[in-house]
Coordinates of all heavy atoms in Angstrom, one line a residue:
M1 N 0.9 -1.2 0.0 CA 0.0 0.0 0.0 C 0.9 1.3 0.0 O 1.8 1.4 0.8 CB -0.9 0.0 1.2 CG -1.9 1.1 1.3 SD -2.9 1.0 2.8 CE -4.5 0.4 2.3
K2 N 0.6 2.2 -0.9 CA 1.4 3.4 -0.9 C 1.1 4.3 0.3 O 0.0 4.2 0.8 CB 1.1 4.2 -2.2 CG 1.5 3.5 -3.5 CD 1.1 4.4 -4.7 CE 1.6 3.7 -6.0 NZ 1.1 4.4 -7.1
I3 N 2.0 5.2 0.6 CA 1.8 6.0 1.8 C 0.6 6.9 1.6 O -0.2 7.2 2.5 CB 3.0 6.8 2.1 CG1 2.9 7.5 3.5 CG2 3.3 7.9 1.0 CD1 4.2 7.8 4.1
E4 N 0.3 7.4 0.3 CA -0.8 8.2 0.1 C -2.1 7.4 0.4 O -3.1 8.0 0.9 CB -0.9 8.7 -1.4 CG 0.2 9.6 -1.8 CD 1.5 9.0 -2.1 OE1 1.6 7.7 -2.1 OE2 2.5 9.7 -2.2
E5 N -2.1 6.1 0.1 CA -3.3 5.3 0.3 C -3.5 5.1 1.8 O -4.6 5.1 2.4 CB -3.2 4.0 -0.3 CG -3.2 4.1 -1.9 CD -2.9 2.8 -2.6 OE1 -1.9 2.1 -2.1 OE2 -3.5 2.5 -3.6
K6 N -2.4 5.0 2.6 CA -2.4 4.8 4.0 C -2.9 6.1 4.7 O -3.8 6.1 5.6 CB -1.1 4.5 4.6 CG -0.6 3.1 4.3 CD 0.6 2.7 5.1 CE 0.9 1.2 4.8 NZ 1.5 0.6 5.9
L7 N -2.5 7.2 4.2 CA -2.9 8.5 4.7 C -4.4 8.7 4.6 O -5.1 9.3 5.4 CB -2.2 9.7 4.1 CG -0.7 9.8 4.4 CD1 0.0 10.8 3.6 CD2 -0.5 10.1 5.9
Y8 N -4.9 8.1 3.5 CA -6.4 8.2 3.2 C -7.2 7.5 4.2 O -8.4 7.8 4.4 CB -6.7 7.7 1.8 CG -8.0 8.0 1.3 CD1 -8.4 9.3 0.9 CD2 -9.0 7.0 1.2 CE1 -9.7 9.5 0.5 CE2 -10.3 7.2 0.7 CZ -10.6 8.5 0.4 OH -11.9 8.8 0.0
T9 N -6.6 6.5 4.9 CA -7.4 5.8 6.0 C -7.4 6.5 7.3 O -8.1 6.0 8.2 CB -6.7 4.4 6.2 OG1 -5.4 4.6 6.8 CG2 -6.5 3.6 4.9
L10 N -6.8 7.6 7.4 CA -6.8 8.4 8.7 C -7.9 9.4 8.7 O -8.3 9.9 7.6 CB -5.5 9.1 8.9 CG -4.2 8.2 8.9 CD1 -3.0 9.1 9.0 CD2 -4.2 7.3 10.1
R11 N -8.3 9.7 9.9 CA -9.3 10.8 10.0 C -8.9 11.7 11.2 O -8.4 11.2 12.2 CB -10.7 10.2 10.4 CG -11.4 9.5 9.2 CD -11.7 10.4 8.1 NE -12.3 9.6 7.0 CZ -11.6 9.1 6.0 NH1 -10.3 9.2 6.0 NH2 -12.2 8.4 5.0
W12 N -9.0 13.0 10.9 CA -8.6 14.0 11.9 C -9.8 14.8 12.4 O -10.7 15.0 11.7 CB -7.6 15.0 11.2 CG -6.3 14.6 10.8 CD1 -5.1 14.8 11.4 CD2 -5.9 14.0 9.6 NE1 -4.1 14.3 10.7 CE2 -4.6 13.8 9.6 CE3 -6.7 13.4 8.5 CZ2 -3.9 13.2 8.5 CZ3 -6.0 12.8 7.5 CH2 -4.6 12.7 7.5
K13 N -9.6 15.3 13.6 CA -10.4 16.4 14.1 C -9.5 17.6 14.1 O -8.5 17.7 15.0 CB -11.0 16.1 15.5 CG -11.9 17.3 15.9 CD -12.7 16.9 17.1 CE -13.7 18.1 17.5 NZ -14.2 17.8 18.8
H14 N -9.7 18.6 13.2 CA -8.7 19.7 13.0 C -9.0 20.8 14.0 O -10.1 21.2 14.3 CB -8.8 20.2 11.6 CG -8.4 19.3 10.5 ND1 -7.2 18.7 10.5 CD2 -9.0 18.8 9.4 CE1 -7.0 17.9 9.5 NE2 -8.1 17.9 8.8
D15 N -7.9 21.3 14.5 CA -7.9 22.4 15.4 C -7.6 23.7 14.6 O -7.0 23.6 13.5 CB -6.7 22.2 16.5 CG -6.9 23.2 17.7 OD1 -7.8 24.0 17.6 OD2 -6.1 23.0 18.6
K16 N -8.0 24.8 15.0 CA -7.7 26.0 14.3 C -6.3 26.5 14.8 O -5.7 27.3 14.1 CB -8.7 27.1 14.6 CG -10.1 26.8 13.9 CD -11.1 27.9 14.2 CE -12.4 27.6 13.5 NZ -13.5 28.4 14.0
Q17 N -5.9 26.1 15.9 CA -4.6 26.5 16.5 C -3.6 25.5 16.2 O -3.7 24.3 16.4 CB -4.8 26.6 18.0 CG -3.6 27.0 18.8 CD -3.9 27.2 20.3 OE1 -5.0 27.8 20.6 NE2 -3.2 26.6 21.1
S18 N -2.4 25.9 15.6 CA -1.4 25.0 15.2 C -0.6 24.5 16.5 O -0.4 25.1 17.4 CB -0.3 25.7 14.4 OG 0.8 24.9 14.0
H19 N -0.3 23.2 16.4 CA 0.5 22.5 17.4 C 2.0 22.5 17.0 O 2.8 21.9 17.7 CB 0.0 21.1 17.8 CG 0.0 20.2 16.6 ND1 -0.8 20.3 15.5 CD2 0.8 19.1 16.4 CE1 -0.5 19.3 14.7 NE2 0.5 18.6 15.2
I20 N 2.3 23.1 15.9 CA 3.6 23.1 15.3 C 4.1 24.5 15.1 O 3.4 25.3 14.4 CB 3.7 22.3 14.0 CG1 3.2 20.9 14.3 CG2 5.2 22.2 13.5 CD1 3.0 20.1 13.0
K21 N 5.3 24.9 15.6 CA 5.9 26.2 15.2 C 7.3 26.0 14.8 O 8.0 25.3 15.4 CB 5.7 27.1 16.5 CG 4.3 27.5 16.8 CD 4.3 28.6 17.9 CE 2.9 29.1 18.1 NZ 2.0 28.0 18.6
I22 N 7.7 26.8 13.9 CA 9.1 27.0 13.5 C 9.7 28.0 14.5 O 9.2 29.1 14.6 CB 9.3 27.4 12.1 CG1 8.6 26.5 11.1 CG2 10.8 27.6 11.7 CD1 9.2 25.1 11.0
T23 N 10.7 27.6 15.2 CA 11.3 28.5 16.2 C 12.0 29.7 15.6 O 11.7 30.8 16.0 CB 12.2 27.8 17.1 OG1 11.6 26.6 17.7 CG2 12.8 28.6 18.2
A24 N 12.9 29.5 14.6 CA 13.6 30.6 14.0 C 13.6 30.5 12.5 O 14.3 29.7 12.0 CB 15.1 30.6 14.6
A25 N 12.8 31.3 11.9 CA 12.6 31.2 10.4 C 13.9 31.4 9.7 O 14.1 30.9 8.6 CB 11.5 32.2 10.0
E26 N 14.8 32.3 10.2 CA 16.0 32.6 9.6 C 16.9 31.4 9.5 O 17.8 31.4 8.5 CB 16.7 33.8 10.2 CG 17.3 33.6 11.7 CD 16.2 33.8 12.8 OE1 15.0 33.8 12.4 OE2 16.6 33.8 13.9
V27 N 16.8 30.5 10.4 CA 17.7 29.3 10.3 C 17.3 28.4 9.1 O 18.1 27.9 8.4 CB 17.6 28.5 11.6 CG1 18.3 27.1 11.5 CG2 18.1 29.3 12.8
C28 N 16.0 28.4 8.9 CA 15.5 27.6 7.7 C 16.0 28.3 6.4 O 16.4 27.7 5.4 CB 14.0 27.6 7.7 SG 13.2 26.9 9.1
L29 N 15.9 29.6 6.4 CA 16.3 30.4 5.2 C 17.8 30.3 4.9 O 18.1 30.0 3.7 CB 15.9 31.9 5.5 CG 16.3 32.8 4.4 CD1 15.4 32.6 3.1 CD2 16.0 34.3 4.8
D30 N 18.6 30.4 5.9 CA 20.0 30.5 5.7 C 20.8 29.2 5.9 O 21.1 28.5 5.0 CB 20.6 31.6 6.5 CG 20.0 33.0 6.2 OD1 19.7 33.2 5.0 OD2 19.9 33.8 7.1
R31 N 21.0 28.9 7.2 CA 21.9 27.8 7.5 C 21.3 26.5 7.0 O 22.0 25.7 6.4 CB 22.0 27.7 9.0 CG 22.9 28.9 9.6 CD 23.0 28.9 11.1 NE 23.6 27.7 11.6 CZ 23.5 27.3 12.9 NH1 22.8 28.0 13.7 NH2 24.2 26.2 13.3
C32 N 20.1 26.2 7.3 CA 19.6 24.9 6.9 C 19.5 24.7 5.4 O 19.7 23.7 4.8 CB 18.2 24.6 7.5 SG 17.7 22.9 7.4
G33 N 19.1 25.9 4.7 CA 19.0 25.8 3.2 C 20.3 25.5 2.6 O 20.4 24.8 1.6
T34 N 21.4 26.1 3.2 CA 22.7 25.9 2.7 C 23.3 24.5 3.0 O 23.9 23.8 2.2 CB 23.7 27.0 3.1 OG1 23.1 28.3 2.8 CG2 25.0 26.9 2.6
E35 N 23.2 24.2 4.3 CA 23.9 23.1 4.9 C 23.2 21.8 4.7 O 23.8 20.7 4.6 CB 24.3 23.3 6.3 CG 25.3 24.5 6.5 CD 25.4 24.9 7.9 OE1 25.0 24.3 8.8 OE2 26.1 26.0 8.1
W36 N 21.8 21.8 4.8 CA 21.1 20.6 4.9 C 20.0 20.4 3.9 O 19.3 19.4 3.8 CB 20.4 20.4 6.3 CG 21.4 20.1 7.4 CD1 22.2 21.0 8.1 CD2 21.8 18.8 7.8 NE1 22.9 20.3 9.0 CE2 22.8 19.0 8.8 CE3 21.4 17.6 7.5 CZ2 23.3 17.9 9.5 CZ3 22.0 16.4 8.1 CH2 23.0 16.7 9.1
K37 N 19.8 21.5 3.1 CA 18.7 21.5 2.1 C 17.3 21.2 2.6 O 16.5 20.5 2.0 CB 19.1 20.4 1.0 CG 20.4 20.5 0.4 CD 20.7 21.8 -0.3 CE 22.1 21.8 -0.9 NZ 22.7 23.1 -1.0
R38 N 17.1 21.7 3.8 CA 15.8 21.6 4.5 C 15.1 20.2 4.4 O 14.1 20.0 3.8 CB 14.8 22.6 3.8 CG 15.4 24.0 3.8 CD 14.5 25.1 3.1 NE 15.2 26.4 3.1 CZ 15.9 26.8 2.0 NH1 15.8 26.2 0.8 NH2 16.5 28.0 2.1
P39 N 15.7 19.4 5.2 CA 15.2 17.9 5.2 C 13.8 17.7 5.7 O 13.2 16.7 5.3 CB 16.2 17.2 6.1 CG 16.8 18.3 7.0 CD 16.8 19.5 6.1
C40 N 13.2 18.7 6.4 CA 11.8 18.5 6.8 C 10.9 18.4 5.6 O 9.8 17.7 5.7 CB 11.4 19.6 7.7 SG 11.5 21.3 7.0
T41 N 11.3 19.0 4.5 CA 10.4 18.9 3.3 C 10.4 17.6 2.7 O 9.7 17.2 1.8 CB 10.8 20.0 2.3 OG1 12.2 19.7 1.9 CG2 10.8 21.4 2.8
A42 N 11.4 16.7 3.2 CA 11.5 15.3 2.6 C 11.1 14.3 3.6 O 10.4 13.3 3.3 CB 12.9 15.1 2.2
F43 N 11.4 14.4 4.9 CA 11.2 13.4 5.9 C 9.8 13.3 6.4 O 9.4 12.2 6.9 CB 12.2 13.3 7.0 CG 12.3 14.5 7.9 CD1 11.2 14.9 8.7 CD2 13.4 15.2 8.1 CE1 11.2 15.9 9.6 CE2 13.5 16.3 9.0 CZ 12.4 16.6 9.7
C44 N 9.0 14.3 6.4 CA 7.7 14.3 6.9 C 6.8 13.5 6.0 O 6.6 13.8 4.9 CB 7.1 15.7 7.1 SG 5.3 15.7 7.6
P45 N 6.2 12.4 6.5 CA 5.4 11.5 5.6 C 4.1 12.2 5.2 O 3.5 11.7 4.2 CB 5.1 10.3 6.5 CG 5.2 10.8 7.9 CD 6.2 11.9 7.9
A46 N 3.7 13.3 5.8 CA 2.4 13.9 5.5 C 2.6 15.2 4.8 O 1.6 15.9 4.6 CB 1.6 14.1 6.8
N47 N 3.8 15.5 4.4 CA 4.1 16.7 3.6 C 3.6 18.0 4.4 O 3.0 18.9 3.8 CB 3.5 16.7 2.2 CG 4.2 15.7 1.4 OD1 5.4 15.5 1.4 ND2 3.4 15.0 0.6
V48 N 3.8 18.0 5.7 CA 3.5 19.1 6.5 C 4.3 20.4 6.2 O 3.8 21.5 6.2 CB 3.5 18.8 8.0 CG1 3.4 20.1 8.9 CG2 2.4 17.8 8.3
Y49 N 5.6 20.1 5.8 CA 6.6 21.2 5.6 C 6.8 21.4 4.1 O 7.3 20.4 3.5 CB 7.8 20.9 6.4 CG 7.7 20.7 7.8 CD1 7.7 19.4 8.3 CD2 7.4 21.7 8.7 CE1 7.4 19.1 9.7 CE2 7.2 21.5 10.1 CZ 7.2 20.2 10.5 OH 7.0 19.9 11.9
T50 N 6.6 22.6 3.7 CA 7.0 22.9 2.3 C 7.7 24.2 2.2 O 7.5 25.1 3.1 CB 5.7 23.0 1.4 OG1 4.8 23.9 1.9 CG2 5.1 21.6 1.2
W51 N 8.6 24.3 1.3 CA 9.4 25.6 1.2 C 8.7 26.4 0.1 O 8.5 26.0 -1.0 CB 10.8 25.3 0.7 CG 11.7 26.5 0.5 CD1 12.2 26.9 -0.6 CD2 12.1 27.4 1.6 NE1 12.9 28.1 -0.4 CE2 12.9 28.4 0.9 CE3 12.0 27.4 2.9 CZ2 13.5 29.4 1.6 CZ3 12.5 28.5 3.6 CH2 13.3 29.4 3.0
D52 N 8.3 27.7 0.6 CA 7.5 28.5 -0.4 C 8.4 29.6 -1.1 O 7.9 30.5 -1.8 CB 6.3 29.2 0.3 CG 6.8 30.3 1.3 OD1 8.0 30.6 1.4 OD2 5.9 30.9 2.0
G53 N 9.7 29.4 -1.0 CA 10.6 30.3 -1.6 C 11.2 31.3 -0.6 O 12.2 32.0 -0.9
A54 N 10.5 31.5 0.5 CA 11.0 32.5 1.5 C 11.0 31.9 2.9 O 11.7 32.4 3.8 CB 10.1 33.7 1.4
K55 N 10.1 30.9 3.1 CA 10.0 30.4 4.5 C 9.4 29.0 4.4 O 8.9 28.5 3.3 CB 9.1 31.2 5.4 CG 7.7 31.3 4.9 CD 6.8 32.2 5.8 CE 5.4 32.1 5.5 NZ 5.0 32.2 4.1
I56 N 9.5 28.2 5.5 CA 8.8 26.9 5.6 C 7.3 27.2 5.9 O 7.0 27.8 6.9 CB 9.5 26.1 6.7 CG1 10.9 25.7 6.3 CG2 8.6 24.9 7.0 CD1 10.9 24.6 5.2
A57 N 6.5 26.7 5.0 CA 5.0 26.7 5.3 C 4.6 25.4 6.0 O 5.2 24.4 5.7 CB 4.3 26.9 4.0
V58 N 3.8 25.6 7.1 CA 3.5 24.4 7.9 C 2.0 24.1 7.8 O 1.2 24.9 8.3 CB 3.8 24.7 9.4 CG1 3.5 23.6 10.3 CG2 5.3 25.1 9.6
S59 N 1.7 23.0 7.1 CA 0.3 22.6 7.0 C 0.0 21.6 8.2 O -0.1 20.4 8.0 CB 0.1 21.8 5.7 OG 0.4 22.7 4.6
F60 N -0.1 22.2 9.4 CA -0.2 21.4 10.6 C -1.5 20.5 10.6 O -1.5 19.4 11.3 CB -0.2 22.3 11.8 CG -1.5 23.1 12.0 CD1 -2.6 22.6 12.7 CD2 -1.6 24.4 11.4 CE1 -3.7 23.4 12.9 CE2 -2.8 25.1 11.5 CZ -3.8 24.6 12.2
E61 N -2.5 20.8 9.8 CA -3.7 20.0 9.8 C -3.4 18.6 9.3 O -4.2 17.7 9.6 CB -4.7 20.7 8.9 CG -5.1 22.1 9.1 CD -4.1 23.1 8.4 OE1 -3.1 22.6 7.8 OE2 -4.4 24.3 8.4
N62 N -2.4 18.5 8.5 CA -2.1 17.1 7.9 C -1.2 16.2 8.8 O -0.9 15.1 8.4 CB -1.4 17.3 6.6 CG -2.2 18.1 5.6 OD1 -3.4 18.1 5.7 ND2 -1.6 18.7 4.6
C63 N -0.7 16.7 9.9 CA 0.2 16.0 10.8 C -0.4 14.7 11.2 O -1.5 14.6 11.7 CB 0.6 16.9 12.0 SG 1.6 16.0 13.2
V64 N 0.4 13.6 11.1 CA -0.1 12.3 11.6 C 0.6 11.9 12.9 O 0.5 10.7 13.3 CB 0.2 11.2 10.5 CG1 -0.6 11.5 9.2 CG2 1.7 11.1 10.2
E65 N 1.2 12.8 13.6 CA 1.7 12.7 14.9 C 2.8 11.6 15.1 O 2.8 10.8 16.0 CB 0.6 12.5 15.9 CG -0.4 13.6 15.9 CD -1.7 13.3 16.6 OE1 -1.7 12.5 17.5 OE2 -2.8 13.9 16.2
C66 N 3.6 11.5 14.0 CA 4.6 10.4 14.1 C 5.9 10.9 14.8 O 6.7 10.0 15.2 CB 5.1 10.0 12.6 SG 6.0 11.3 11.8
T67 N 6.0 12.1 15.1 CA 7.1 12.7 15.9 C 8.5 12.7 15.2 O 9.5 13.0 15.8 CB 7.3 12.2 17.3 OG1 7.7 10.9 17.3 CG2 6.0 12.3 18.1
T68 N 8.5 12.3 13.9 CA 9.8 12.3 13.2 C 10.5 13.7 13.3 O 11.7 13.8 13.4 CB 9.6 11.9 11.7 OG1 9.0 10.6 11.7 CG2 10.9 11.9 11.0
C69 N 9.7 14.7 13.1 CA 10.3 16.1 13.0 C 11.0 16.5 14.3 O 11.8 17.4 14.3 CB 9.3 17.1 12.5 SG 7.8 17.2 13.5
V70 N 10.6 16.0 15.5 CA 11.2 16.3 16.7 C 12.7 16.0 16.7 O 13.5 16.8 17.2 CB 10.4 15.6 17.9 CG1 11.1 15.9 19.2 CG2 9.0 16.0 17.9
L71 N 13.0 14.9 16.1 CA 14.4 14.5 16.0 C 15.0 14.8 14.7 O 16.3 15.0 14.6 CB 14.5 13.0 16.3 CG 14.1 12.5 17.7 CD1 14.2 11.0 17.8 CD2 15.1 13.2 18.7
G72 N 14.2 14.9 13.6 CA 14.8 15.0 12.3 C 15.3 16.4 11.9 O 16.2 16.5 11.1
C73 N 14.8 17.5 12.5 CA 15.4 18.8 12.2 C 16.8 18.9 12.7 O 17.0 18.8 14.0 CB 14.5 19.9 12.8 SG 15.2 21.5 12.6
P74 N 17.7 19.1 11.9 CA 19.1 19.2 12.4 C 19.4 20.3 13.3 O 20.4 20.3 14.1 CB 19.9 19.3 11.1 CG 19.0 19.8 10.1 CD 17.7 19.3 10.5
Y75 N 18.6 21.3 13.4 CA 18.8 22.5 14.3 C 17.8 22.5 15.5 O 17.7 23.5 16.2 CB 18.7 23.8 13.5 CG 19.7 23.9 12.5 CD1 19.4 23.5 11.1 CD2 21.1 24.2 12.7 CE1 20.4 23.6 10.2 CE2 22.0 24.2 11.8 CZ 21.7 23.9 10.5 OH 22.7 23.9 9.5
R76 N 17.0 21.4 15.6 CA 15.9 21.4 16.6 C 15.1 22.7 16.6 O 14.9 23.3 17.6 CB 16.6 21.2 18.1 CG 17.4 20.0 18.2 CD 16.5 18.7 18.2 NE 17.2 17.5 18.5 CZ 17.8 16.7 17.6 NH1 17.7 16.9 16.3 NH2 18.5 15.6 18.0
N77 N 14.7 23.0 15.4 CA 14.1 24.3 15.1 C 12.6 24.1 15.0 O 11.9 25.1 14.6 CB 14.7 24.9 13.8 CG 14.4 26.3 13.6 OD1 14.2 27.0 14.6 ND2 14.3 26.8 12.4
I78 N 12.1 23.0 15.3 CA 10.6 22.7 15.2 C 10.1 22.5 16.6 O 10.5 21.6 17.3 CB 10.3 21.5 14.3 CG1 10.8 21.7 12.9 CG2 8.8 21.2 14.3 CD1 10.7 20.5 12.0
D79 N 9.2 23.4 17.0 CA 8.5 23.3 18.3 C 7.2 22.5 18.1 O 6.2 23.1 17.6 CB 8.3 24.6 18.8 CG 7.6 24.6 20.2 OD1 7.4 23.5 20.8 OD2 7.2 25.7 20.7
W80 N 7.3 21.2 18.3 CA 6.2 20.3 18.1 C 5.5 19.8 19.4 O 6.3 19.4 20.3 CB 6.6 19.1 17.3 CG 5.5 18.2 16.8 CD1 4.9 18.2 15.6 CD2 4.9 17.1 17.5 NE1 3.9 17.3 15.5 CE2 3.9 16.6 16.7 CE3 5.1 16.6 18.8 CZ2 3.1 15.5 17.1 CZ3 4.3 15.5 19.2 CH2 3.3 15.0 18.4
K81 N 4.3 19.9 19.5 CA 3.5 19.4 20.7 C 2.4 18.6 20.2 O 2.0 18.7 19.1 CB 3.0 20.6 21.5 CG 4.0 21.5 22.1 CD 3.4 22.6 23.0 CE 4.4 23.4 23.7 NZ 5.4 24.1 22.8
L82 N 1.9 17.7 21.1 CA 0.7 17.0 20.7 C -0.4 18.0 20.5 O -0.5 19.0 21.2 CB 0.3 16.0 21.8 CG 1.0 14.6 21.8 CD1 0.7 13.9 23.1 CD2 0.6 13.8 20.6
P83 N -1.4 17.7 19.6 CA -2.5 18.6 19.4 C -3.3 18.7 20.8 O -3.2 17.8 21.6 CB -3.3 17.9 18.4 CG -2.4 17.0 17.6 CD -1.3 16.6 18.6
R84 N -4.0 19.7 20.9 CA -4.8 19.9 22.2 C -5.8 18.8 22.3 O -6.1 18.1 21.3 CB -5.6 21.3 22.1 CG -4.7 22.4 22.1 CD -5.5 23.7 22.3 NE -6.4 24.0 21.2 CZ -7.4 24.8 21.3 NH1 -7.6 25.5 22.4 NH2 -8.2 25.0 20.2
G85 N -6.2 18.6 23.5 CA -7.1 17.5 23.8 C -8.3 17.5 22.9 O -9.0 18.6 22.8
G86 N -8.7 16.4 22.3 CA -9.8 16.3 21.5 C -9.5 16.6 20.0 O -10.4 16.3 19.2
F87 N -8.3 17.0 19.7 CA -8.0 17.3 18.3 C -6.9 16.4 17.9 O -6.3 15.7 18.6 CB -7.5 18.8 18.2 CG -8.6 19.8 18.4 CD1 -8.6 20.5 19.7 CD2 -9.5 20.1 17.5 CE1 -9.6 21.4 19.9 CE2 -10.5 21.0 17.7 CZ -10.6 21.7 18.9
G88 N -6.7 16.4 16.6 CA -5.6 15.5 16.0 C -6.2 14.3 15.4 O -7.4 14.3 14.9
I89 N -5.4 13.2 15.3 CA -5.9 12.0 14.7 C -7.0 11.4 15.5 O -6.9 11.3 16.7 CB -4.7 11.0 14.7 CG1 -3.5 11.4 13.8 CG2 -5.2 9.6 14.2 CD1 -3.8 11.4 12.3
E90 N -8.1 11.1 14.8 CA -9.3 10.5 15.5 C -9.3 9.0 15.5 O -9.6 8.3 16.4 CB -10.6 11.1 14.9 CG -10.9 12.4 15.4 CD -12.4 12.8 15.1 OE1 -12.8 12.6 14.0 OE2 -13.1 13.2 16.1
W91 N -9.0 8.5 14.3 CA -8.9 7.0 14.1 C -8.2 6.7 12.9 O -8.0 7.5 12.0 CB -10.3 6.4 14.2 CG -11.3 6.8 13.1 CD1 -12.2 7.8 13.2 CD2 -11.4 6.4 11.7 NE1 -12.9 8.0 12.1 CE2 -12.4 7.1 11.1 CE3 -10.7 5.4 11.0 CZ2 -12.9 6.9 9.8 CZ3 -11.2 5.2 9.7 CH2 -12.2 5.9 9.1
Q92 N -7.7 5.4 12.9 CA -7.0 5.0 11.7 C -7.4 3.5 11.4 O -7.8 2.8 12.3 CB -5.4 5.0 11.9 CG -5.0 4.3 13.2 CD -3.5 4.6 13.4 OE1 -2.8 5.4 12.7 NE2 -2.9 4.0 14.4
N93 N -7.3 3.2 10.1 CA -7.8 1.9 9.7 C -6.8 1.4 8.6 O -7.2 1.0 7.6 CB -9.2 2.1 9.1 CG -9.8 0.7 8.8 OD1 -9.5 -0.3 9.4 ND2 -10.7 0.7 7.8
G94 N -5.6 1.4 8.9 CA -4.6 1.0 7.9 C -3.3 0.7 8.5 O -3.1 0.8 9.7
Ligands
SF4_1 FE1 13.9 24.7 9.3 FE2 14.4 22.4 10.6 FE3 13.1 22.3 8.3 FE4 15.7 22.9 8.3 S1 14.8 21.0 8.9 S2 14.1 24.0 7.1 S3 15.9 24.1 10.2 S4 12.4 23.3 10.2
SF4_2 FE1 5.2 15.4 9.9 FE2 5.4 13.5 11.7 FE3 6.3 15.9 12.3 FE4 3.6 15.5 12.0 S1 5.0 14.7 13.6 S2 4.8 17.2 11.2 S3 3.6 14.0 10.4 S4 7.1 14.5 10.7

């Protein structure tokens, strides 16, 4: 089963408030862009992080709570918390 098909089996209860914040946008722009090529845009299975040409855009609604980004960002520049109570992944079937 492809990852896109697995993601389709998940259901979320979306919060309006993000549970993910980039701590220092300038690190993404300069150091990480040069030294690491912004790996969050590749390792997140749900494509939460995309580079829009000036900053990392965070589609927190798509997060599958795998916690990869907590360890995967080489600068520990992602402030990730579990979604607030009652929000986030509701159920999975895959
Ligand atoms: Fe920014 Fe971390 Fe992503 Fe690099 S991996 S672009 S430092 S959030
Ligand atoms: Fe992506 Fe997993 Fe981090 Fe959510 S916890 S943003 S799915 S890497």
Side-chain angles (χ1 to χ4, degrees):
M1 186 183 254
K2 292 180 182 174
I3 192 157
E4 292 81 8
E5 294 170 318
K6 289 193 174 208
L7 290 172
Y8 190 71
T9 68
L10 301 175
R11 292 293 178 270
W12 290 259
K13 184 173 182 187
H14 294 304
D15 195 354
K16 289 181 180 166
Q17 181 177 312
S18 178
H19 63 290
I20 304 170
K21 289 189 176 60
I22 302 294
T23 304
E26 67 276 14
V27 174
C28 308
L29 177 66
D30 298 325
R31 290 175 62 196
C32 193
T34 305
E35 297 170 5
W36 287 89
K37 311 298 182 205
R38 305 180 185 103
C40 59
T41 62
F43 63 60
C44 174
N47 293 320
V48 167
Y49 305 101
T50 52
W51 180 246
D52 71 4
K55 66 179 186 316
I56 291 287
V58 180
S59 301
F60 70 92
E61 307 89 349
N62 298 336
C63 178
V64 298
E65 302 168 27
C66 70
T67 69
T68 301
C69 55
V70 175
L71 295 174
C73 173
Y75 299 99
R76 301 292 187 265
N77 198 24
I78 298 172
D79 179 8
W80 188 94
K81 296 180 174 62
L82 276 171
R84 294 190 297 165
F87 293 102
I89 296 286
E90 279 196 313
W91 57 268
Q92 53 188 4
N93 185 29

